[in-house]
């Protein structure tokens, strides 16, 4: 078996596939002389699509964000764009005492939170020593204080605000909004004139991964290959050692591990600046739970249920803490007998470490409480994500923390700076969603990052012969 390659790509997620396809289509020595090493037994990284009946569910990446991307074009070329787009936070907003919140108040709080988050974008590149959480809480408190709503309505609006905080914790895959950088909030951008944020894929994200992998040469990916060390000799030669004892030699390495893995990757050469950036960036958990029922017990007018706690508190004696970190229960595209919920904060680890059947029963007990309906059946099957406890992922996706604010460059741009050997030749390139300056946390950001780092390697070789 060949163990000498011009380029070794560590990871066959979206960044790794983007890098590999860029090398393959180049008219260079690298077009066939590369290999991908994947620690898991499948490609796709944080993509995991399950076939359930005649349709699918995605335990990981679920939507395409924006339309002006290479991934969207590939989906269109392969007729994989689902005609139905999705949205979040749909349905009734109901309190734990069964009170359904008036839609006027729901929309008012949603508008105000959205307005404040747009205001956060004005602080791009301004060091404020503040966080999104602090700014959001302060501005919303000022809004309530100046408003002429009744005291009862203000209490309900504070409870709705608590839902938005939970939602943003999940949406940003962070532990706490106070650990989310205000300075970097406006860095993210969604591409496409229509600004579509939730484009669905026919057959789930796995269908896209299949398309990309089929473009690669046979055996271009080696699975169950956990890289332990990447060592660069004084001559620039690279030795890669895997945990099964196998070794490979390369001239360049493109590393596409998640930020969570990079935080624990002791055997990878990195500059002090990159190490600091990796340490400062955040990479926490977010999770999903899918409840499959024997039949649909909800009515045709049901469009979801969002959970509101009185005064933002949970009766801990009645429910496990896990349930306090759910946003609500949503319908699942093309799955008539299924509901799903998002999990954030400390609830993610508890959810992942708890037996699926128990989690399912806890969710139904919560639904029975909020809907005051003890006839709601337990699910016949429960599917849940396990990204936080997966040693090859270790979380959801990246975010910038206030600790990143003092850095001269945006975190994503810093991560893109290659590590050079003693002769100042670039040898190690980092790629992934965390390494994209404006499309972090997305699959297309990861894919583009892989493409960009592969192009950077190719551009360098035009002026330097390895």
């Amino acid at each position: 078996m060949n163990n000498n390659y011009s380029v070794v790509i560590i990871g066959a997620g979206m960044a790794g596939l983007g890098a590999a396809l860029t090398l393959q289509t180049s008219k260079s020595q690298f077009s066939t002389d590369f290999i991908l090493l994947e620690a898991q037994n499948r490609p796709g990284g944080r993509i995991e699509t399950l076939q359930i009946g005649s349709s699918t569910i995605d335990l990981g990446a679920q939507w395409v964000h924006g339309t002006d991307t290479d991934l969207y074009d590939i989906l269109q070329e392969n007729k994989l764009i689902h005609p139905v787009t999705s949205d979040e936070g749909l349905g009734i907003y109901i309190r734990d005492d069964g009170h359904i919140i008036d839609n006027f108040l729901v929309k008012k709080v949603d508008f105000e939170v959205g307005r404040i988050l747009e205001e956060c974008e004005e602080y791009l590149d301004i060091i404020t020593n503040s966080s999104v959480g602090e700014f959001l809480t302060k501005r919303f408190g000022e809004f309530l204080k100046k408003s002429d709503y009744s005291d009862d309505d203000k209490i309900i609006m504070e409870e709705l605000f608590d839902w938005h905080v939970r939602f943003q914790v999940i949406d940003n895959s962070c532990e706490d909004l106070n650990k989310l950088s205000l300075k970097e909030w406006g860095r993210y951008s969604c591409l496409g004139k229509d600004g579509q944020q939730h484009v669905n894929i026919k057959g789930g994200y796995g269908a896209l991964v299949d398309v990309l992998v089929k473009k690669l040469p046979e055996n271009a990916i080696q699975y169950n290959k956990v890289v332990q060390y990447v060592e660069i000799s004084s001559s620039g030669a690279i030795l890669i050692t895997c945990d099964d004892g196998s070794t490979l030699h390369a001239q360049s390495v493109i590393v596409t591990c998640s930020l969570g893995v990079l935080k624990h990757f002791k055997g990878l050469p990195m500059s002090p600046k990159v190490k600091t950036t990796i340490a400062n960036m955040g990479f926490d958990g977010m999770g999903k739970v899918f409840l499959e029922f024997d039949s649909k017990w909800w009515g045709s007018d049901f469009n979801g249920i969002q959970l509101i706690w009185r005064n933002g508190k949970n009766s801990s004696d009645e429910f496990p803490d896990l349930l306090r970190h759910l946003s609500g229960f949503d319908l699942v595209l093309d799955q008539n007998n299924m509901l799903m919920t998002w999990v954030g904060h400390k609830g993610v680890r508890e959810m992942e470490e708890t037996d699926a059947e128990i989690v399912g029963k806890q969710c139904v007990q919560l639904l029975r409480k909020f809907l005051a309906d003890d006839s709601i059946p337990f699910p016949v099957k429960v599917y849940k994500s396990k990204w936080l406890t997966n040693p090859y992922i270790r979380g959801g996706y990246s975010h910038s923390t206030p600790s990143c604010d003092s850095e001269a460059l945006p975190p994503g741009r810093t991560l893109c700076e290659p590590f050079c050997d003693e002769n100042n030749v670039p040898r190690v390139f980092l790629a992934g969603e965390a390494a994209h300056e404006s499309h972090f946390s997305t699959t297309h950001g990861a894919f583009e990052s892989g493409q960009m780092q592969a192009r950077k390697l190719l551009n360098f070789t035009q002026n330097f012969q390895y």
Side-chain angles (χ1 to χ4, degrees):
M1 179 184 294
N2 178 31
N3 69 342
N4 290 278
Y5 297 92
S6 292
V7 183
V8 169
I9 302 170
I10 300 177
M14 295 305 292
L17 295 175
L21 291 170
T22 301
L23 294 178
Q24 183 185 23
T25 55
S26 69
K27 295 179 180 179
S28 72
Q29 68 189 79
F30 303 141
S31 61
T32 58
D33 194 15
F34 66 86
I35 191 74
L36 295 96
L37 303 180
E38 170 56 49
Q40 302 186 101
N41 60 4
R42 55 175 178 77
R46 280 162 273 177
I47 292 170
E48 185 176 7
T49 301
L50 302 182
Q51 184 74 37
I52 310 296
S54 60
S55 190
T56 59
I57 61 172
D58 278 305
L59 294 179
Q62 182 167 334
W63 294 304
V64 177
H65 300 286
T67 58
D68 190 15
T69 68
D70 287 349
L71 283 189
Y72 189 87
D73 292 342
I74 293 171
L75 290 169
Q76 280 193 315
E77 291 168 7
N78 290 273
K79 297 181 169 46
L80 290 177
I81 299 292
H82 198 290
V84 177
T85 57
S86 295
D87 207 345
E88 297 178 273
L90 300 179
I92 60 172
Y93 285 66
I94 187 170
R95 209 161 53 181
D96 55 335
D97 61 356
H99 175 70
I100 297 177
I101 309 299
D102 184 271
N103 197 46
F104 172 80
L105 293 180
V106 171
K107 289 185 177 298
K108 182 60 181 176
V109 173
D110 181 70
F111 174 83
E112 191 61 28
V113 170
R115 185 196 65 78
I116 297 170
L117 291 176
E118 284 186 6
E119 188 180 350
C120 288
E121 297 176 8
E122 299 175 7
Y123 288 82
L124 179 62
D125 289 333
I126 299 175
I127 298 179
T128 64
N129 294 319
S130 185
S131 66
V132 171
E134 292 167 331
F135 187 85
L136 183 59
T137 300
K138 178 183 177 182
R139 285 288 194 267
F140 190 79
E142 293 171 348
F143 156 73
L144 280 185
K145 188 176 181 179
K146 294 177 181 177
S147 71
D148 57 0
Y149 292 99
S150 69
D151 289 343
D152 287 344
D153 280 351
K154 286 184 177 180
I155 289 174
I156 293 174
M157 294 172 88
E158 287 176 342
E159 293 165 350
L160 286 167
F161 178 74
D162 171 76
W163 180 90
H164 280 277
V165 170
R166 271 182 285 137
F167 175 82
Q168 289 297 331
V169 165
I170 294 168
D171 199 44
N172 289 279
S173 190
C174 64
E175 184 178 292
D176 186 335
L177 293 186
N178 291 332
K179 297 180 180 179
L180 199 59
S181 169
L182 177 61
K183 171 176 172 279
E184 291 294 320
W185 175 262
R187 188 81 57 191
Y188 176 84
S189 65
C190 181
L191 297 176
K193 60 183 180 180
D194 52 5
Q196 287 187 19
Q197 291 269 9
H198 303 95
V199 177
N200 290 299
I201 302 175
K202 292 179 182 177
Y205 246 109
L208 173 60
V209 174
D210 289 343
V211 167
L212 298 177
V213 171
K214 287 177 182 177
K215 293 176 179 286
L216 295 173
E218 188 177 358
N219 300 321
I221 306 175
Q222 292 184 12
Y223 297 104
N224 302 306
K225 286 291 184 180
V226 181
V227 174
Q228 287 190 318
Y229 302 103
V230 176
E231 301 170 278
I232 306 176
S233 70
S234 58
S235 65
I238 300 174
L239 175 65
I240 299 158
T241 304
C242 298
D243 69 349
D244 61 2
S246 61
T247 58
L248 293 90
H249 299 272
Q251 297 171 355
S252 301
V253 178
I254 301 177
V255 181
T256 71
C257 310
S258 74
L259 182 68
V261 171
L262 288 177
K263 285 177 176 287
H264 296 83
F265 201 155
K266 306 302 182 184
L268 182 67
M270 291 182 279
S271 69
K273 181 166 62 173
V274 169
K275 286 182 179 179
T276 298
T277 297
I278 289 172
N280 286 341
M281 291 182 73
F283 193 83
D284 296 300
M286 55 84 68
K288 298 180 182 180
V289 178
F290 292 84
L291 309 175
E292 183 181 9
F293 297 92
D294 187 51
S295 60
K296 184 169 72 171
W297 51 264
W298 51 92
S300 58
D301 60 341
F302 182 90
N303 200 29
I305 170 176
Q306 307 307 322
L307 307 176
I308 307 299
W309 297 93
R310 280 172 289 181
N311 299 316
K313 296 178 180 178
N314 170 27
S315 174
S316 57
D317 293 336
E318 187 173 2
F319 296 112
D321 190 55
L322 154 67
L323 300 182
R324 182 61 179 83
H325 301 291
L326 309 185
S327 56
F329 293 90
D330 304 321
L331 297 173
V332 182
L333 183 68
D334 296 334
Q335 295 286 354
N336 293 331
N337 299 341
M338 194 176 288
L339 297 176
M340 70 84 62
T341 184
W342 300 87
V343 189
H345 194 45
K346 297 178 181 177
V348 180
R349 183 171 296 278
E350 185 178 345
M351 177 272 290
E352 292 190 7
E353 294 178 346
T354 302
D355 182 77
E357 184 178 354
I358 294 175
V359 172
K361 289 182 176 180
Q362 290 174 341
C363 286
V364 167
Q365 288 166 350
L366 190 67
L367 283 166
R368 289 175 176 177
K369 166 72 174 180
F370 275 78
L371 297 175
D373 184 357
D374 289 337
S375 70
I376 296 175
F378 289 123
V380 295
K381 185 73 174 179
V382 178
Y383 309 90
K384 60 191 184 81
S385 61
K386 292 185 178 181
W387 301 112
L388 186 62
T389 52
N390 181 334
Y392 310 125
I393 304 294
R394 294 179 177 266
Y397 39 81
S398 68
H399 60 273
S400 293
T401 71
S403 297
C404 301
D405 290 354
S406 60
E407 297 181 22
L409 297 175
R413 197 184 304 175
T414 299
L415 295 185
C416 287
E417 296 181 1
F419 181 83
C420 298
D421 63 17
E422 294 179 5
N423 298 310
N424 206 33
V425 177
R427 295 293 182 182
V428 179
F429 300 77
L430 299 185
E433 53 85 13
H436 200 295
E437 183 175 345
S438 58
H439 303 155
F440 45 85
S441 81
T442 68
T443 51
H444 71 267
F447 189 76
E448 291 171 1
S449 174
Q451 291 176 310
M452 289 187 290
Q453 292 297 73
R455 291 191 191 108
K456 188 179 294 184
L457 169 60
L458 292 169
N459 289 337
F460 178 81
T461 57
Q462 290 179 353
N463 301 310
F464 181 89
Q465 185 64 43
Y466 279 119

